Amino acid sequence: FAIPELVEHGSTGILLDSPVSPPHLEAAIASLIGDTALYRVMRRNARALALSAHSWDRVGATMCDRIEERLRT
């Protein structure tokens, strides 16, 4: 299951309600199979988001910031 904070519905992926029903999952997969342009746009957007917001440099910087905040309190 995708975490809504990591997936932008319609831009970097498709979010489904939980619990996911098989017909909804099937429709989501079919929409990407049937629309290769949408698939390519989502793939490109997801990669760009992952590289910019979730790189190891970014994760490390965020962790350091949070540790420093805790040490100040």
Side-chain angles (χ1 to χ4, degrees):
F1 294 93
I3 301 172
E5 292 80 20
L6 299 176
V7 176
E8 298 170 5
H9 183 74
S11 175
T12 61
I14 298 174
L15 291 173
L16 300 172
D17 291 330
S18 184
V20 176
S21 70
H24 289 129
L25 179 58
E26 179 183 3
I29 293 169
S31 72
L32 294 175
I33 291 172
D35 189 344
T36 56
L38 175 63
Y39 164 75
R40 287 185 184 122
V41 167
M42 284 189 185
R43 181 182 69 189
R44 184 177 60 243
N45 291 343
R47 179 172 169 70
L49 178 63
L51 292 174
S52 67
H54 306 293
S55 69
W56 282 115
D57 289 340
R58 179 76 180 238
V59 170
T62 299
M63 289 196 64
C64 286
D65 290 345
R66 291 192 178 159
I67 290 169
E68 288 176 357
E69 287 174 17
R70 296 293 270 175
L71 290 174
R72 284 192 291 263
T73 59

